[in-house]
Amino acid sequence: MIYSEEPIVTVGILSNKTITFSLTNDFLLNGSKKVSGTYVAELVDDKICLEDVFYSELLFVPIKESSIFTLQDVVIGLNFHWQRKEDQTFKGSLRLVVDNSSIYAINEIKVENYLYSVISSEMRATSSLELLKAHAVISRSWLLSQIINRKKVKENSSQHDFIENSQKIIRWYERSEHTLFDVCADDHCQRYQGLGRAISVFAKQAIDATRGEVLTYNGELCDARFSKCCGGVTENFEYCWDNIKYPYLKSIVDTSIDKRSFLPDLTKEAIAEEWIKTSPKAFCNTKDKLVLRQVLNDYDQETTDFYRWEISYTQTELSSLLEEKLGIKFGQILSLNPLKRGKSGRLYEMEIEGTERSIILGKELEIRRVLSKSHLYSSAFVVEKKDLLEGVPQLFKIVGAGWGHGVGLCQIGAAVMGAQGYDYKQILSHYYSDSVLTRLYH
C-alpha cells in the first residue's frame, strides 16, 4: 500500500451545545465567505446557529499558511485523575457538525502536521531523538490503520464491543465508535493538543526524518498500540480488545532486546502475585527524573508510582464505588476474585462477590474504570483482604503493576532504551515482534 500523496486525518476535538472559537487570519466559510475573529456556535433545533444564521454543517478552510483557529474549554484527560480544560489552537480546517444533540468540532489536517502535535502532546518534545523517531513511526502507523479500520466498521455495522447479561459484564473500548471522524484528541486515541505544546527542533527532526514511515506485518499496516508503563511485561492485544491475535502485539519481557529472555507465566495466579508484589528489573523500572521528564508531561508527573503502586478502599468506599459505577447493589463486598489474566498478569476477567449479588467483570479497562473514580492505573493487580469482621473484609488493599493497558510500546521503557543508546529501529523491533519498517509516502 503506497499513498500518492500525504493523507488527511480528521480529529474530533470536542463536543458541546455551545462552542466558542476564534479564527486568526483568514478562513473561507463553506467555500464562499472570508471570515476571521471570535464566534459562538450554538445548537438550536438540531441546527448550528452562527450569528443568527442556521447551518447543518460549517467548514472553515484556512486561506493562508499562517491561518490558525482556537477552541475554548477543550477537555483533556477525560475521566482521568488529572482531567482539566484548556484553550487549544490548531492548524488546518475546522468542521462543525451536529450529531447526538451536540455540536462536534473536527480538525482536518495533514498527517505529518498532526504528528508534530501528537509527539509533543504524548511526551516531552525534549525526549531523546531515537525515542521521538520511534514514537513518530508508531503514531503514524496507528493513525493510518485507524483510518482504514473506520472504513471497515462502516461496512460492518454489526460489530459490537460488549457482552452483558445478569451474570457477566464484558466490555472493551475500541476506537470504532468514532463515526464522524477518524480519531479523537484524547487518551482514548492519541493525545492531540494542537499548537499548545512546543514543537522542539528534535521533535520536528524526528518526524521529518521518518516521514511516511510505518510498521507493517505481512504487508499490512500494524495497529501499533502503546501505553505509559507495561510494568515489566507487555500484554497481548486480545486480552484488552477484540479477540484477535496480532503476532506483532504479543507479550515480551521489557528487560532485554534478546527475544530469548525468560517470560514468566503470569496467567498463573501464584506467579502473577509474586511478580506484582516484587519489583523486577525492567527498562520501565526507573526513577530517573531526567528520563521521566522526557516522556511525561507536567500533569503526568503528578503520577510517580507507576511501576508498582498501591491503593486501599474501606468496605464502605468500595461498595459505594461499585454501586455508583455499575448501578448494582452488591451488599457487602466479600471478595474481588481474579478469574483470567493475560500474559502480563493483567486481569481481563474478575468476579465481584457480594453478600447480595455477584457478577463477572471484564475486560481490563472496564475493571480499571469500575475500581476507581477515574481509571485504576492498570488491571495487573492482586487484592489483599484485611480486618475481617464476621467474615466480611473491612479493608481492601490493591497492589498493582504498570500504567495503562500494556500493549505494544511501553513509553517509559522506550525512553530508557533511548537514553541507553538504542536506536529507533531497535526500540520498534523490541516492542513489535517481526514488524517491518515501510515507507508509504514521501
Side-chain angles (χ1 to χ4, degrees):
M1 176 192 300
I2 302 296
Y3 290 85
S4 59
E5 59 183 9
E6 182 181 347
I8 300 290
V9 59
T10 58
V11 190
I13 308 298
L14 82 158
S15 63
N16 214 330
K17 303 288 186 186
T18 301
I19 293 179
T20 302
F21 59 99
S22 300
L23 306 173
T24 302
N25 295 326
D26 294 329
F27 282 74
L28 201 60
L29 170 57
N30 287 354
S32 59
K33 182 181 178 182
K34 185 184 293 186
V35 293
S36 63
T38 299
Y39 298 89
V40 178
E42 295 183 274
L43 183 67
V44 180
D45 297 329
D46 280 335
K47 294 286 186 180
I48 302 171
C49 180
L50 186 76
E51 295 187 319
D52 298 324
V53 180
F54 291 85
Y55 302 85
S56 57
E57 184 172 315
L58 291 169
L59 176 62
F60 301 89
V61 177
I63 296 175
K64 304 174 183 178
E65 178 64 28
S66 59
S67 298
I68 56 176
F69 67 89
T70 300
L71 296 170
Q72 292 186 12
D73 295 331
V74 179
V75 177
I76 65 171
L78 183 64
N79 296 325
F80 283 84
H81 55 285
W82 45 264
Q83 177 175 314
R84 65 201 67 185
K85 290 182 179 180
E86 64 180 26
D87 296 349
Q88 294 183 351
T89 300
F90 303 88
K91 280 193 164 188
S93 300
L94 169 64
R95 186 183 295 273
L96 300 181
V97 299
V98 177
D99 189 67
N100 197 26
S101 299
S102 288
I103 301 174
Y104 282 77
I106 300 169
N107 184 200
E108 300 180 356
I109 187 168
K110 288 185 176 181
V111 166
E112 300 299 310
N113 283 335
Y114 166 84
L115 290 175
Y116 288 143
S117 174
V118 165
I119 301 306
S120 301
S121 299
E122 283 286 348
M123 60 184 64
R124 292 280 187 180
T126 54
S127 302
S128 71
L129 181 59
E130 296 307 307
L131 171 62
L132 292 172
K133 285 182 181 178
H135 219 293
V137 171
I138 65 172
S139 292
R140 189 183 293 112
S141 304
W142 178 85
L143 173 66
L144 294 176
S145 73
Q146 292 310 299
I147 294 174
I148 292 172
N149 289 342
R150 183 181 168 215
K151 293 176 181 177
K152 290 180 180 177
V153 169
K154 281 185 175 180
E155 297 167 0
N156 181 18
S157 58
S158 62
Q159 180 174 332
H160 59 84
D161 295 345
F162 64 89
I163 300 168
E164 186 168 346
N165 54 47
S166 59
Q167 288 82 40
K168 183 178 287 191
I169 299 174
I170 305 294
R171 296 191 184 108
W172 55 98
Y173 295 83
E174 262 297 2
R175 282 78 176 174
S176 59
E177 65 190 60
H178 297 320
T179 56
L180 297 177
F181 41 83
D182 297 319
V183 292
C184 67
D186 212 39
D187 289 73
H188 179 261
C189 291
Q190 295 187 119
R191 285 186 192 171
Y192 171 66
Q193 297 169 356
L195 303 176
R197 300 288 173 258
I199 305 297
S200 76
V201 173
F202 287 119
K204 188 176 188 306
Q205 182 182 345
I207 294 163
D208 293 345
T210 63
R211 179 179 172 83
E213 285 189 351
V214 296
L215 291 177
T216 60
Y217 182 85
N218 281 349
E220 294 190 358
L221 275 167
C222 289
D223 187 346
R225 305 292 169 113
F226 56 90
S227 66
K228 275 285 178 278
C229 175
C230 68
V233 174
T234 67
E235 189 52 271
N236 283 26
F237 177 93
E238 66 266 26
Y239 297 124
C240 300
W241 297 287
D242 290 307
N243 295 320
I244 302 171
K245 295 182 184 295
Y246 290 120
Y248 56 86
L249 291 179
K250 64 183 180 182
S251 183
I252 58 105
V253 183
D254 195 31
T255 56
S256 169
I257 62 172
D258 184 350
K259 297 303 180 185
R260 294 170 296 178
S261 297
F262 173 69
L263 178 64
D265 188 356
L266 301 179
T267 64
K268 294 182 179 178
E269 196 58 34
I271 297 174
E273 181 172 355
E274 181 182 359
W275 175 267
I276 291 168
K277 286 187 173 181
T278 56
S279 185
K281 180 181 177 182
F283 285 128
C284 58
N285 185 2
T286 181
K287 296 187 181 299
D288 187 328
K289 291 184 179 180
L290 291 177
V291 170
L292 294 177
R293 283 196 201 104
Q294 292 178 13
V295 76
L296 300 180
N297 283 301
D298 292 337
Y299 39 81
D300 283 331
Q301 290 186 56
E302 295 168 13
T303 303
T304 58
D305 53 349
F306 52 83
Y307 188 73
R308 293 294 182 270
W309 48 266
E310 297 180 2
I311 186 171
S312 294
Y313 291 114
T314 65
Q315 173 66 231
T316 301
E317 288 172 338
L318 183 58
S319 57
S320 297
L321 178 62
L322 294 175
E323 182 178 344
E324 174 190 335
K325 287 302 186 84
L326 292 172
I328 296 172
K329 293 183 181 294
F330 289 93
Q332 292 183 300
I333 305 302
L334 298 176
S335 187
L336 302 175
N337 298 315
L339 298 182
K340 295 180 181 179
R341 292 187 184 272
K343 298 293 186 179
S344 72
R346 283 168 170 79
L347 287 166
Y348 66 96
E349 283 195 20
M350 176 192 77
E351 182 189 35
I352 302 172
E353 181 183 356
T355 54
E356 297 179 12
R357 175 83 181 274
S358 297
I359 199 163
I360 294 172
L361 188 69
K363 291 185 176 182
E364 66 89 30
L365 185 55
E366 183 69 357
I367 293 171
R368 293 166 57 199
R369 186 189 72 82
V370 167
L371 286 178
S372 172
K373 286 289 185 182
S374 56
H375 290 74
L376 206 64
Y377 293 156
S378 155
S379 70
F381 61 80
V382 293
V383 181
E384 299 175 0
K385 299 183 289 186
K386 297 180 176 294
D387 303 337
L388 269 63
L389 183 62
E390 297 182 352
V392 178
Q394 300 305 299
L395 185 70
F396 294 84
K397 180 182 177 183
I398 300 176
V399 181
W403 183 2
H405 52 68
V407 178
L409 180 135
C410 169
Q411 289 179 311
I412 292 173
V416 172
M417 290 183 71
Q420 291 182 1
Y422 292 96
D423 66 31
Y424 82 107
K425 294 179 181 180
Q426 290 175 304
I427 294 172
L428 294 171
S429 177
H430 174 59
Y431 289 108
Y432 304 98
S433 302
D434 302 320
S435 63
V436 177
L437 196 61
T438 306
R439 189 180 298 277
L440 291 188
Y441 55 87
H442 294 279

Coordinates of all heavy atoms in Angstrom, one line a residue, residues 404-433:
G404 N -1.6 1.7 32.4 CA -2.2 1.5 31.1 C -2.4 0.1 30.7 O -2.1 -0.8 31.5
H405 N -2.8 -0.1 29.5 CA -3.1 -1.5 29.0 C -1.9 -2.4 28.8 O -2.0 -3.6 28.8 CB -4.0 -1.4 27.8 CG -3.4 -0.6 26.7 ND1 -2.3 -0.9 26.0 CD2 -3.8 0.6 26.2 CE1 -2.0 0.0 25.1 NE2 -3.0 0.9 25.1
G406 N -0.7 -1.8 28.6 CA 0.5 -2.5 28.4 C 0.7 -3.2 27.1 O 1.7 -3.9 26.9
V407 N -0.1 -2.9 26.1 CA 0.1 -3.5 24.7 C 1.0 -2.6 23.9 O 0.9 -1.4 23.9 CB -1.3 -3.6 24.0 CG1 -1.1 -4.2 22.6 CG2 -2.2 -4.5 24.9
G408 N 1.9 -3.3 23.2 CA 2.8 -2.6 22.3 C 3.9 -1.9 23.0 O 4.5 -2.3 24.0
L409 N 4.3 -0.7 22.5 CA 5.4 0.1 23.0 C 5.1 0.6 24.4 O 4.0 1.1 24.7 CB 5.8 1.2 22.1 CG 6.9 2.1 22.6 CD1 7.8 2.4 21.4 CD2 6.4 3.5 23.1
C410 N 6.0 0.4 25.3 CA 6.0 1.0 26.7 C 6.8 2.3 26.6 O 8.0 2.3 26.4 CB 6.6 0.0 27.7 SG 6.9 0.6 29.3
Q411 N 6.0 3.4 26.8 CA 6.7 4.7 26.6 C 7.8 5.0 27.6 O 8.9 5.5 27.2 CB 5.6 5.8 26.8 CG 4.7 5.9 25.6 CD 3.6 7.0 25.8 OE1 3.0 7.1 26.8 NE2 3.4 7.8 24.8
I412 N 7.7 4.6 28.8 CA 8.8 4.8 29.8 C 9.9 3.9 29.5 O 11.1 4.3 29.5 CB 8.3 4.7 31.2 CG1 7.3 5.9 31.5 CG2 9.4 4.7 32.2 CD1 6.6 5.8 32.8
G413 N 9.6 2.6 29.2 CA 10.7 1.7 28.8 C 11.4 2.1 27.5 O 12.6 2.1 27.5
A414 N 10.7 2.7 26.5 CA 11.3 3.1 25.3 C 12.2 4.4 25.6 O 13.2 4.6 25.0 CB 10.2 3.5 24.3
A415 N 11.7 5.2 26.6 CA 12.6 6.4 26.9 C 13.9 6.0 27.5 O 14.9 6.5 27.2 CB 11.8 7.3 27.9
V416 N 13.8 4.9 28.4 CA 15.1 4.4 29.0 C 16.0 3.8 27.9 O 17.2 4.0 27.9 CB 14.7 3.4 30.1 CG1 16.0 2.6 30.5 CG2 14.0 4.0 31.2
M417 N 15.4 3.1 27.0 CA 16.2 2.5 25.9 C 16.8 3.6 25.1 O 18.0 3.5 24.7 CB 15.3 1.6 24.9 CG 14.7 0.4 25.6 SD 13.8 -0.6 24.4 CE 15.0 -1.2 23.3
G418 N 16.1 4.7 24.8 CA 16.7 5.8 24.0 C 17.9 6.4 24.8 O 18.9 6.7 24.2
A419 N 17.7 6.5 26.1 CA 18.7 7.1 27.0 C 20.0 6.2 27.0 O 21.1 6.7 27.2 CB 18.2 7.4 28.4
Q420 N 19.7 4.9 26.9 CA 20.8 3.9 26.9 C 21.5 3.7 25.6 O 22.5 2.9 25.5 CB 20.3 2.6 27.5 CG 19.9 2.6 28.9 CD 19.4 1.3 29.5 OE1 19.4 0.3 28.7 NE2 19.1 1.3 30.7
G421 N 21.1 4.4 24.6 CA 21.8 4.4 23.3 C 21.2 3.5 22.2 O 21.8 3.3 21.1
Y422 N 20.0 2.9 22.5 CA 19.4 2.1 21.4 C 18.8 3.0 20.4 O 18.3 4.1 20.7 CB 18.2 1.3 22.0 CG 18.7 0.1 22.9 CD1 18.7 0.3 24.3 CD2 19.1 -1.1 22.4 CE1 19.1 -0.7 25.2 CE2 19.5 -2.1 23.3 CZ 19.5 -1.9 24.6 OH 19.9 -2.9 25.5
D423 N 18.8 2.6 19.1 CA 18.3 3.5 18.1 C 16.8 3.1 17.9 O 16.3 2.2 18.4 CB 19.0 3.4 16.7 CG 19.0 2.0 16.1 OD1 17.9 1.3 16.2 OD2 19.9 1.7 15.4
Y424 N 16.1 4.0 17.1 CA 14.6 3.8 17.0 C 14.2 2.5 16.3 O 13.2 1.9 16.7 CB 14.0 5.0 16.3 CG 14.0 5.0 14.8 CD1 12.9 4.8 14.0 CD2 15.2 5.3 14.0 CE1 12.9 4.8 12.6 CE2 15.2 5.3 12.7 CZ 14.0 5.1 12.0 OH 14.0 5.1 10.6
K425 N 15.0 2.0 15.4 CA 14.7 0.7 14.8 C 14.8 -0.5 15.8 O 14.0 -1.4 15.8 CB 15.6 0.4 13.6 CG 15.4 1.4 12.5 CD 16.4 1.1 11.3 CE 16.2 2.1 10.2 NZ 17.1 1.9 9.1
Q426 N 15.8 -0.4 16.7 CA 15.9 -1.4 17.8 C 14.7 -1.3 18.8 O 14.2 -2.3 19.2 CB 17.2 -1.2 18.6 CG 18.5 -1.6 17.7 CD 19.7 -1.3 18.5 OE1 20.0 -0.1 18.9 NE2 20.6 -2.3 18.7
I427 N 14.3 -0.1 19.1 CA 13.2 0.1 20.0 C 11.9 -0.5 19.4 O 11.2 -1.2 20.1 CB 13.0 1.6 20.3 CG1 14.2 2.2 21.1 CG2 11.7 1.9 21.1 CD1 14.2 3.7 21.3
L428 N 11.7 -0.2 18.1 CA 10.5 -0.7 17.4 C 10.5 -2.2 17.3 O 9.5 -2.9 17.5 CB 10.4 -0.1 16.1 CG 10.1 1.4 16.0 CD1 10.2 2.0 14.6 CD2 8.7 1.8 16.6
S429 N 11.7 -2.8 17.0 CA 11.8 -4.2 16.9 C 11.6 -4.9 18.2 O 11.0 -6.0 18.3 CB 13.2 -4.6 16.4 OG 13.4 -6.0 16.3
H430 N 12.0 -4.3 19.3 CA 11.8 -4.8 20.6 C 10.3 -5.0 21.0 O 9.9 -6.0 21.5 CB 12.5 -3.9 21.7 CG 12.3 -4.3 23.1 ND1 12.6 -5.5 23.6 CD2 11.7 -3.6 24.1 CE1 12.3 -5.6 24.9 NE2 11.8 -4.4 25.2
Y431 N 9.6 -3.9 20.7 CA 8.2 -3.9 21.2 C 7.2 -4.5 20.2 O 6.1 -4.9 20.6 CB 7.7 -2.5 21.6 CG 8.4 -2.0 22.8 CD1 9.4 -1.0 22.8 CD2 8.0 -2.5 24.1 CE1 10.0 -0.6 24.0 CE2 8.6 -2.1 25.3 CZ 9.6 -1.1 25.2 OH 10.2 -0.7 26.4
Y432 N 7.5 -4.5 18.9 CA 6.6 -5.0 17.9 C 7.3 -6.2 17.1 O 8.0 -5.9 16.1 CB 6.2 -3.9 16.9 CG 5.6 -2.7 17.6 CD1 6.4 -1.6 18.0 CD2 4.3 -2.7 18.0 CE1 5.8 -0.5 18.6 CE2 3.7 -1.6 18.7 CZ 4.5 -0.6 19.0 OH 3.9 0.5 19.7
S433 N 7.1 -7.3 17.6 CA 7.9 -8.5 17.1 C 7.6 -8.8 15.6 O 6.4 -8.7 15.2 CB 7.4 -9.8 17.9 OG 7.7 -9.6 19.3

